Amino acid sequence: MTDLFLGLTQEIISGIALGSIYALIALGFTMIFKATEVVNFAQGELMMVGAYVNFFFVTTFLSAAGTPTAWTFLVALGGSMIFSVLFGYILDFIINRPLKDEPIFSVIMATLSLAIIIRAVVAIIAGPISLMPFSPFGDSAISFGTIIVSVLDLSIIGSAIGLVIIFYYIFHYTRWGIAMQATSEDPIAAQLMGIPIKRVYALVWIFSAVVATLSGILLAPRIALLDTTMGFLGLKAFPAAVLGGFGSIPGAIVGGVILGVIETVSMGTLSFHFQWIKEINDIIAWIVLIAVLMIKPDGLFGVEKVKKV
Amino acid sequence: MKGRYEDENLYWIPVLIIFVFLLPFILKGLSFSYKYYLFVLNMAGIYIILNVGLDLLSGFTGLLSLGHAAFLAVGAYSSAILVDQFGVPFALSLILSPLVAGLFGFVIGFPALRISGMYLGLTTMGFGFIVKRMIIAFREWTHGSGGLDVSSPVLFGYTIKTDWNNYFLIYTFVVIAVVAGRRIAKSKIGRAFMAIRDSEQAAEAAGINLAKYKMLAFFISGLFAGFAGVLFAHTSSFISTDHFDILLSIYFIIMILVGGVSSIYGAVLGTLFIVLLDNLFVPLLKDQIHFWFNTQAGDIQSLIFGLIMFLFIIFQPMGLYGMWLKMRIYWKLFPFNPRQRFT
């Protein structure tokens, strides 16, 4: 009995770490969806690009400096951040501006095609071999009594919490954040009040690219092998967002964490005790998605919308 | 007959059908490697059948499906199992397996009654993943992820084996599918589909039973895809879950988008365009690119597909068929064409 309890606790902590990544990806595209009504299917690919760029910077600095120090990772992080700001700005130009008021069908297909293009370009540039990303923490672990938690997981959870607090602050207490809120509420009214909504849109895309890059950097050492299939992991953020209520930022975070826990527990303890769970544990996110959409399509935090003719 | 067909010119359709059935002979006369071209055309034919159904669902009814490869998989696997393990004749399986896929359409149609747009895209995508996993789970019949060998189709005592024979089998059904798609699109059902796409509320107010027609759209689409699946399984003689990837579902949507959404001819044009590009143009390009990059053919293929779809959505949302329609109007009005309209 204690063994089961111990295993479960450990799986839940590891699941929260995975869920934090989902939450960050979901946060990225929920921001875009709220502000511009564009559903960005390429969010996972943004994450993958972030991971690759960070890997590139880390290896470059390592070959220049020799032994890895904390500075190597920090400078690489700074480089990736600058890259992601530029990338988000470019995406605003090529995706958001031409597609702002197109029907949802075209928008989905445009972002999906963008995802395909990004994946192909990264695969062509980086070559077909998977990379081994470095972790700044190695594989060290901390033990709380009998529960052993890896430092990497803790750092993921910590960074995610930190990021969410920073974003909460930006959204609620800065001029640009309030301008973003106003724009997502009613773009026309916001424009009439003198808010430069085009710049706000650009800012939203930049934010979302930055979040995606950070989540990519955090996730890369956890999956141990970096290749272009990492982008598919971003798709799982959609069930997370739907679970929390699509278009709600707290919903995205809570949904992401819950989904991460469900996945890890079903992959561990449940698969061990029930044979049939083993068959479904890589599609459990999608089963959750369909169940949520059939039972409560607005999710946990969503607001029901009334549609006019 | 006048009245029903008033809006379109039908004289060229028999000519086209004759051309379709003469094409293998022309290719044989022209080219030494005609067998490869026939193989490519066969694949295009199977995808055309599926895309006609997908267009009825996503183009006409506006219910986005990102998991259509799953219906193809259901059709293919159920036919392979029925024919090879239960001894059902191929001709009967040609009727039964599409029905199975149509039933799956019903199943996925249930959640579709409450949701639309992006949510439906996600649900169908999830459905694609789930079906793929289920096929692996039922490994007594499907041999799991190892794949399944399928017998060649036997029709009226003849075993249809080569690409040459497959061509005639497939394109008979392509012609039937395209005609059936046209007839469905122009009928009461098709008009109800379009009304639902344009506004669900207005359609309901006009007396259209939303639940019935949405389920019908999924059922019909499943039927077409199941049909394509049967032909796919028996003409390619080997199927595995790798054939029915999520990327394939997205490529199907690319095909109907490039051809022009909500027109059956658009679906046909788009499918031919993409499949021919993929199999005839990409291999040529691949050799060129190999000089500069060490990369796999799949990456170049998806890069080109992605770029094509992106450029079409931004610059030519009506697709190839829309371009053709614009060109036709342009030449009809030739000396007096208001230039701004045709940019």
Side-chain angles (χ1 to χ4, degrees):
Chain A
M1 195 62 216
T2 48
D3 276 359
L4 182 69
F5 179 73
L6 206 69
L8 266 181
T9 321
Q10 219 147 0
E11 275 159 18
I12 286 171
I13 290 172
S14 147
I16 289 173
L18 181 65
S20 308
I21 302 281
Y22 290 157
L24 285 182
I25 308 168
L27 177 72
F29 68 68
T30 305
M31 277 198 319
I32 293 178
F33 180 71
K34 268 184 79 136
T36 63
E37 305 258 309
V38 170
V39 185
N40 186 12
F41 272 82
Q43 198 73 25
E45 272 65 28
L46 297 189
M47 176 180 78
M48 176 193 73
V49 169
Y52 264 94
V53 168
N54 191 57
F55 179 83
F56 166 75
F57 277 122
V58 169
T59 44
T60 314
F61 293 141
L62 270 187
S63 62
T67 50
T69 59
W71 285 108
T72 321
F73 291 104
L74 281 180
V75 175
L77 182 71
S80 325
M81 286 296 97
I82 293 167
F83 174 83
S84 68
V85 167
L86 289 177
F87 197 43
Y89 194 61
I90 294 168
L91 285 183
D92 174 53
F93 259 91
I94 60 172
I95 289 281
N96 189 31
R97 298 202 180 186
L99 287 171
K100 186 68 195 30
D101 297 314
E102 294 281 319
I104 186 101
F105 192 86
S106 324
V107 175
I108 292 178
M109 293 328 291
T111 53
L112 269 177
S113 65
L114 184 76
I116 296 174
I117 294 170
I118 292 178
R119 200 179 303 137
V121 168
V122 170
I124 288 173
I125 292 175
I129 304 158
S130 331
L131 309 171
M132 297 259 284
F134 300 94
S135 159
F137 308 104
D139 44 5
S140 52
I142 300 177
S143 53
F144 300 102
T146 46
I147 299 162
I148 300 164
V149 186
S150 81
V151 180
L152 189 64
D153 279 0
L154 280 182
S155 75
I156 290 175
I157 298 171
S159 330
I161 292 172
L163 274 176
V164 168
I165 291 171
I166 291 172
F167 275 102
Y168 185 82
Y169 176 78
I170 290 176
F171 272 136
H172 289 264
Y173 297 102
T174 62
R175 277 172 71 87
W176 280 104
I178 293 167
M180 273 185 213
Q181 281 193 13
T183 314
S184 65
E185 197 76 29
D186 188 344
I188 296 168
Q191 202 166 19
L192 290 175
M193 293 294 127
I195 293 171
I197 59 167
K198 282 197 171 169
R199 252 189 278 168
V200 170
Y201 288 153
L203 202 64
V204 167
W205 276 85
I206 288 173
F207 264 121
S208 146
V210 168
V211 177
T213 304
L214 281 174
S215 49
I217 295 171
L218 291 172
L219 182 60
R222 198 175 190 276
I223 55 173
L225 277 181
L226 180 60
D227 56 15
T228 47
T229 52
M230 187 181 176
F232 287 116
L233 221 68
L235 286 179
K236 282 197 184 152
F238 281 98
V242 170
L243 176 62
F246 209 86
S248 137
I249 286 180
I253 294 160
V254 174
V257 172
I258 294 177
L259 194 75
V261 171
I262 291 178
E263 263 199 350
T264 327
V265 171
S266 91
M267 223 169 271
T269 310
L270 286 183
S271 292
F272 188 69
H273 288 274
F274 302 97
Q275 197 60 38
W276 57 275
I277 297 259
K278 212 183 258 173
E279 300 286 355
I280 63 165
N281 60 28
D282 50 350
I283 51 167
I284 201 142
W286 300 97
I287 294 174
V288 168
L289 171 91
I290 290 176
V292 170
L293 285 177
M294 283 181 91
I295 298 161
K296 193 171 183 298
D298 302 312
L300 300 172
F301 289 82
V303 194
E304 199 167 339
K305 277 187 196 153
V306 180
K307 207 175 175 187
K308 287 177 190 156
V309 178
Chain B
M1 283 301 261
K2 207 166 183 333
R4 276 182 92 175
Y5 298 98
E6 212 169 11
D7 56 333
E8 56 181 326
N9 181 356
L10 292 174
Y11 304 114
W12 57 284
I13 288 178
V15 179
L16 194 68
I17 291 176
I18 292 170
F19 174 73
V20 163
F21 287 106
L22 281 181
L23 192 61
F25 297 99
I26 297 171
L27 280 176
K28 194 178 181 182
L30 284 178
S31 168
F32 192 63
S33 55
Y34 69 99
K35 279 183 182 163
Y36 177 65
Y37 296 128
L38 283 183
F39 169 75
V40 172
L41 282 172
N42 286 348
M43 199 153 66
I46 289 167
Y47 290 166
I48 285 172
I49 298 175
L50 183 132
N51 281 337
V52 168
L54 180 61
D55 204 17
L56 284 174
L57 179 70
S58 297
F60 283 86
T61 325
L63 302 169
L64 177 61
S65 168
L66 292 178
H68 234 65
F71 292 113
L72 187 72
V74 170
Y77 268 95
S78 55
S79 179
I81 292 166
L82 280 177
V83 172
D84 290 347
Q85 292 168 30
F86 292 91
V88 177
F90 175 73
L92 189 60
S93 162
L94 212 47
I95 300 165
L96 286 180
S97 308
L99 280 177
V100 175
L103 283 180
F104 268 76
F106 263 129
V107 172
I108 198 64
F110 268 116
L113 298 180
R114 291 185 66 176
I115 53 179
S116 60
M118 175 215 48
Y119 296 102
L120 190 62
L122 286 175
T123 312
T124 45
M125 189 189 274
F127 172 71
F129 288 126
I130 291 171
V131 164
K132 207 176 147 182
R133 200 71 191 83
M134 286 297 121
I135 288 172
I136 295 175
F138 289 107
R139 51 178 68 79
E140 296 104 87
W141 295 305
T142 61
H143 294 197
S145 48
L148 203 56
D149 289 320
V150 191
S151 61
S152 295
V154 182
L155 217 52
F156 310 118
Y158 290 104
T159 309
I160 299 165
K161 258 211 165 108
T162 56
D163 284 333
W164 180 271
N165 293 335
N166 285 340
Y167 179 90
F168 292 102
L169 174 74
I170 289 169
Y171 274 82
T172 312
F173 288 111
V174 168
V175 169
I176 293 172
V178 171
V179 172
R182 283 293 283 187
R183 295 320 305 148
I184 292 170
K186 295 263 165 181
S187 69
K188 183 187 162 194
I189 301 171
R191 286 193 298 273
F193 284 172
M194 283 188 266
I196 291 173
R197 175 193 61 194
D198 291 337
S199 164
E200 288 193 3
Q201 284 80 5
E204 203 168 18
I208 291 169
N209 186 344
L210 280 189
K212 181 182 149 194
Y213 279 102
K214 278 187 175 179
M215 298 291 267
L216 196 63
F218 267 101
F219 180 69
I220 290 174
S221 190
L223 275 186
F224 276 94
F227 226 98
V230 177
L231 293 175
F232 179 81
H234 289 276
T235 54
S236 63
S237 79
F238 174 75
I239 50 174
S240 85
T241 46
D242 294 339
H243 288 133
F244 311 106
D245 216 3
I246 166 78
L247 274 178
L248 186 63
S249 308
I250 294 173
Y251 287 159
F252 288 144
I253 295 274
I254 299 182
M255 287 171 193
I256 66 168
L257 261 174
V258 166
V261 187
S262 59
S263 78
I264 299 294
Y265 294 147
V268 177
L269 273 180
T271 314
L272 282 175
F273 179 76
I274 292 282
V275 174
L276 294 186
L277 186 86
D278 182 21
N279 287 286
L280 304 180
F281 180 64
V282 171
L284 289 178
L285 201 69
K286 195 181 67 186
D287 298 337
Q288 295 293 317
I289 288 183
H290 265 305
F291 277 117
W292 298 303
F293 293 111
N294 166 31
T295 183
Q296 288 156 327
D299 297 330
I300 298 165
Q301 178 205 24
S302 43
L303 178 65
I304 291 171
F305 278 18
L307 277 177
I308 286 174
M309 176 161 79
F310 194 72
L311 296 176
F312 261 98
I313 291 167
I314 304 267
F315 296 113
Q316 198 55 263
M318 300 268 290
L320 290 172
Y321 192 61
M323 275 162 85
W324 156 245
L325 287 181
K326 277 187 201 167
M327 252 155 58
R328 207 170 63 180
I329 297 169
Y330 186 92
W331 288 113
K332 250 185 196 166
L333 306 170
F334 175 60
F336 312 104
N337 27 40
R339 197 158 260 275
Q340 297 89 330
R341 255 198 249 161
F342 300 106
T343 47

